[in-house]
Amino acid sequence: MKTRNAFQHEETFVQFIREQKERFYLLAYNYTKNEQDALDVVQDSIQKAMLSLDRLENVEYMKSWFYKIVVRTSIDFLRKHKRLHVTDDDTLQYLTPAQEDVYEDVDLEHALDELPQMYREVVILHYFEDLKLADVANILNIKLSTAKTRLYKALKLLKIQLQDVKGETTHG
Amino acid sequence: MDEKLEEIEKQYNEVPIPKELDFVVENALEQGKKKRKNRAPLWLLGSAAAAMLFTASLNVSPAMAQTLSEIPVVGSIVKVLTWTEYEVKEDTYDADIKVPSIENLENKDLANTLNEKYRSEGKALYDDFISEVDYVKENGGGHVGIDSGYEIKTDTDQILSIGRYTANTVGSSSTVMQYDTIDKQNEILITLPMLFKDDSYIKTISENIIEQMREQAASDPDKTYWVKGGGHPDEEVIDEFTTIKANQQFYISDKGKLVISFDKYEVAQGYMGIVEFEIPTDVLKNDLVSSKYIH
């Protein structure tokens, strides 16, 4: 029975990957900022996922489960190649003590790129990849409240009218 | 959604998707499937272990082989038939996979072990071929070919050596050859280690092969092998052949000579194809358990 589940998962997984591959590439690219590296991350993520596919209990979790793998693989990759653009949370907190508006009024063209990774990833996953905030929190391994705070701050940094998006941040 | 956010999303989505993405993804899926397959489910491990135990008991003990050889057997007519054949013929896709089957062995365990192996490997080749074709078709077509079959190398009263080859023609071609040699009278599978008293045959055979490689390279400029003095112009870059594997592919010729076989690219450049070395029995005589098979 267990093997049969695994096989069904495999078919679903293959189909899911084929349909969504461009989304995963975009996400990986957003971390690595390099075509070849992003391709490597996609490749590694797929292989890792297939090896642990049997441990996925429910096909419904496949989307957030796989996004988590892509995010982790991307971050691992950056770490290994020491090209992590963004510092970890502690350092960031230290560098930006309690001043939420310290960033420049970023021009729209590079707005997303200039957003630190910890904020950027929340925006991408929640808005562009349509994941619920609870799933985003799970993918990034942070508390739901942290995810909310980061999203809130990201929007503030992007100077996006909070009223407009309030409904969207709470529905998830 | 906020206009600004929409604009940012648009930019996010505008990153160009490289052409290679399709290839990378399909390749990763393919590799992933293979890796999953290799991690055999538990029920399968049981039967694989049983099969291994069976061959292992034959391998470890030359004494066992000799005991078996003393049991008189009614001469059975062991033969090899084509059990099944997979054929595909389309414009640029062709497969011809012949799966052999060994018949009339009294030793059913041995027959089943070998035939099961032949069948599952044949099926796997066919499945791989089909998925390869599907992939190539989706990506604009190309040539995919596989030719697999068997040849009887030796069929004497005592010895049956069957060689199965697989030639893959995607991009550059590769060829693999696998042999099974059976003692027909005693119905046992002969392995390389069991022919010899101890492990020293590995060194004896390897040294002889290296010697033969050098001789061939010296007398025939068309032949090169990956050894020092093997005729390769740049010896620094070669992955030098130093030793055979303990279970290197081999068969026993109808003259009772040991023949060691190497796959394409294993010890020489691709144009050399599959290469074989017959080892003079004189060289081996101190290591052999008996002169029953090899003489």
Side-chain angles (χ1 to χ4, degrees), chain B residues 100-113:
Chain B
S101 181
I102 297 179
E103 302 292 325
N104 286 343
L105 273 175
E106 292 290 320
N107 183 341
K108 293 294 172 226
D109 282 342
L110 175 60
N112 288 340
T113 308

Side-chain angles (χ1 to χ4, degrees), chain B residues 2-283:
Chain B
D2 179 271
E3 259 178 46
K4 221 181 230 177
L5 204 51
E6 275 178 16
E7 177 59 29
I8 293 172
E9 181 176 14
K10 213 179 116 209
Q11 284 164 18
Y12 176 82
N13 289 330
E14 267 170 1
V15 168
I17 306 290
K19 298 191 294 293
E20 298 95 311
L21 182 65
D22 282 351
F23 177 76
V24 166
V25 165
E26 290 304 322
N27 201 30
L29 288 171
E30 204 53 50
Q31 295 296 322
K33 275 186 200 167
K34 272 187 197 144
K35 280 188 193 151
R36 279 166 60 76
K37 248 186 242 160
N38 289 345
R39 293 187 320 163
L42 284 178
W43 60 267
L44 222 163
L45 286 180
S47 61
M52 257 164 69
L53 213 64
F54 167 73
T55 21
S57 66
L58 289 176
N59 290 354
V60 286
S61 156
M64 182 174 171
Q66 282 189 330
T67 318
L68 281 168
S69 75
E70 283 156 20
I71 306 166
V73 278
V74 188
S76 61
I77 315 142
V78 180
K79 55 181 175 179
V80 181
L81 302 170
T82 298
W83 182 70
T84 192
E85 186 164 0
Y86 299 95
E87 259 194 292
V88 178
K89 283 221 183 307
E90 287 178 45
D91 312 342
T92 53
Y93 313 111
D94 55 285
D96 184 5
I97 302 167
K98 288 191 188 66
V99 180
S101 181
I102 297 179
E103 302 292 325
N104 286 343
L105 273 175
E106 292 290 320
N107 183 341
K108 293 294 172 226
D109 282 342
L110 175 60
N112 288 340
T113 308
L114 291 174
N115 290 336
E116 278 302 313
K117 177 174 83 172
Y118 297 162
R119 283 162 211 186
S120 65
E121 287 180 9
K123 176 80 166 52
L125 278 178
Y126 178 73
D127 290 346
D128 281 355
F129 170 79
I130 293 299
S131 60
E132 186 78 39
V133 167
D134 285 347
Y135 170 63
V136 170
K137 272 184 183 165
E138 273 172 30
N139 287 276
H143 184 86
V144 186
I146 186 160
D147 181 13
S148 180
Y150 62 91
E151 55 189 76
I152 311 292
K153 279 287 184 179
T154 306
D155 190 2
T156 64
D157 289 346
Q158 175 125 48
I159 296 286
L160 174 71
S161 272
I162 170 169
R164 292 172 303 132
Y165 58 87
T166 302
N168 218 324
T169 45
V170 190
S172 82
S173 69
S174 68
T175 315
V176 207
M177 194 85 184
Q178 287 174 296
Y179 292 99
D180 288 307
T181 294
I182 295 167
D183 173 345
K184 283 160 74 177
Q185 288 171 8
N186 303 302
E187 306 217 325
I188 51 169
L189 182 68
I190 300 173
T191 65
L192 195 56
M194 89 184 225
L195 293 169
F196 300 98
K197 291 175 197 155
D198 54 41
D199 283 349
S200 53
Y201 74 92
I202 298 177
K203 192 160 170 274
T204 314
I205 294 177
S206 304
E207 282 172 358
N208 181 265
I209 288 176
I210 292 174
E211 208 176 295
Q212 289 195 42
M213 285 174 169
R214 287 180 183 148
E215 280 168 17
Q216 289 186 23
S219 63
D220 185 346
D222 288 340
K223 289 188 175 170
T224 57
Y225 294 99
W226 288 334
V227 287
K228 289 219 165 65
H232 200 278
D234 191 356
E235 289 184 346
E236 294 300 309
V237 299
I238 56 176
D239 183 12
E240 194 184 339
F241 166 77
T242 53
T243 178
I244 58 164
K245 288 177 272 192
N247 57 351
Q248 188 70 40
Q249 293 298 325
F250 78 99
Y251 64 92
I252 298 173
S253 76
D254 54 5
K255 302 266 183 334
K257 300 284 182 255
L258 178 68
V259 180
I260 299 287
S261 162
F262 294 97
D263 289 340
K264 193 170 174 179
Y265 303 112
E266 203 175 344
V267 293
Q269 281 167 291
Y271 76 89
M272 296 285 292
I274 287 179
V275 288
E276 291 181 349
F277 294 92
E278 186 179 303
I279 312 298
T281 307
D282 264 1
V283 172

